[in-house]
Amino acid sequence: MIRKTLIAILSGIMAVSLVACSPSSNVKNEESNTAQSARSIEEDKPFIGEGEWANDYTRDEVSALNDEITARMEEAANFYGLEYVKEEKISDDNGVSVNDKYVYFDNLNPEPNRMESMYYGFKTYGSDMASGSLNLKIGFRLDLDQIKDEDKFDLKETSISTFSEAMTNDSERDYSEINAKIIDIVKNQNANGTIETNLNGLVETITIKNDFLLYKIDSKTYDFKK
């Protein structure tokens, strides 16, 4: 019943809008530093707020949700004509086994106002996979001159929102408050500007340094119910 309720709330078909995104790019055999950073485990990640995503679920429930999100991520990537990797890898982090099922795209030299990289993955931890998390990371090149000259930036008009909505399944979000904060960081040249928001139990983090914007959505680390 919990799984059906979760999927009914969070699943569905993504409404994709025609927004800016980078052109197709060949996926490199050797991962870039951005890719490695995107897939690293972030310990002691702060978790804020309450919501549907903050509830406890079984591994099967989260796995079913991940399958639906992954399908929407692939749909978005195909819409933009992106060449992406879909893989499953097992690695070791400080003696802890990490199973990572992910979709990944990398473009090392994007034009301004384009994505540099996108990672979405479902990580489970330990040999018994008793815990896990869902994570989205996007690297984006800002057009600083345009933001400063026009005093305008709309996250909804970028590819970030498409992939964000593929994870949250919320296509009706109002980005006006986030947009204003991003503009303020850019115009005031805050070298380490960070914005953190609760999205129904998910943590959305936007970090801006110079012309690079790192966009992340993280679930809590679920201790799967038996």
Side-chain angles (χ1 to χ4, degrees):
M1 177 63 69
I2 296 176
R3 182 175 69 84
K4 291 182 179 179
T5 301
L6 175 67
I7 294 175
I9 293 174
L10 299 177
S11 66
I13 299 174
M14 176 186 62
V16 179
S17 58
L18 295 174
V19 293
C21 186
S22 60
S24 300
S25 174
N26 293 327
V27 177
K28 310 299 186 299
N29 291 328
E30 296 296 329
E31 295 176 355
S32 65
N33 290 334
T34 303
Q36 293 172 359
S37 174
R39 288 208 281 269
S40 63
I41 296 178
E42 296 177 15
E43 298 180 357
D44 301 323
K45 171 65 186 175
F47 182 75
I48 59 173
E50 299 179 350
E52 190 71 23
W53 292 82
N55 294 335
D56 294 322
Y57 301 103
T58 67
R59 184 168 59 229
D60 287 345
E61 289 167 347
V62 178
S63 293
L65 178 58
N66 170 66
D67 289 343
E68 296 188 4
I69 296 174
T70 298
R72 293 197 292 266
M73 293 291 175
E74 290 188 82
E75 181 181 355
N78 288 329
F79 174 78
Y80 291 125
L82 301 177
E83 186 174 347
Y84 60 90
V85 170
K86 182 180 180 182
E87 292 182 329
E88 180 172 1
K89 288 186 177 180
I90 299 176
S91 59
D92 181 272
D93 187 84
N94 293 324
V96 177
S97 176
V98 181
N99 187 86
D100 190 5
K101 299 173 66 175
Y102 61 89
V103 176
Y104 181 76
F105 157 79
D106 192 15
N107 176 19
L108 295 180
N109 297 295
E111 298 177 358
N113 207 32
R114 295 290 187 271
M115 283 201 311
E116 179 177 274
S117 63
M118 187 283 296
Y119 160 91
Y120 166 75
F122 175 34
K123 293 178 180 176
T124 50
Y125 308 111
S127 57
D128 57 355
M129 299 183 180
S131 62
S133 62
L134 303 170
N135 311 97
L136 172 66
K137 296 180 176 67
I138 296 173
F140 190 86
R141 290 293 172 186
L142 294 169
D143 189 334
L144 298 181
D145 290 337
Q146 183 181 53
I147 295 173
K148 293 175 182 178
D149 292 344
E150 300 180 7
D151 197 26
K152 179 182 177 182
F153 179 82
D154 190 351
L155 198 67
K156 181 69 175 179
E157 294 180 355
T158 74
S159 51
I160 294 175
S161 67
T162 304
F163 288 94
S164 174
E165 292 164 14
M167 182 167 180
T168 65
N169 203 38
D170 179 11
S171 60
E172 302 300 323
R173 183 181 177 187
D174 181 358
Y175 290 94
S176 56
E177 183 176 347
I178 293 292
N179 293 336
K181 290 180 179 179
I182 292 174
I183 294 170
D184 180 68
I185 290 171
V186 171
K187 292 186 67 176
N188 289 298
Q189 298 181 333
N190 185 340
N192 293 293
T194 299
I195 305 164
E196 192 172 77
T197 308
N198 173 43
L199 299 180
N200 195 24
L202 294 169
V203 179
E204 176 189 67
T205 308
I206 298 173
T207 303
I208 298 172
K209 186 171 184 180
N210 300 320
D211 67 341
F212 184 77
L213 183 151
L214 178 61
Y215 179 91
K216 301 191 294 181
I217 297 180
D218 298 294
S219 76
K220 75 174 188 179
T221 298
Y222 297 101
D223 292 319
F224 297 129
K225 297 191 304 180
K226 303 296 184 181

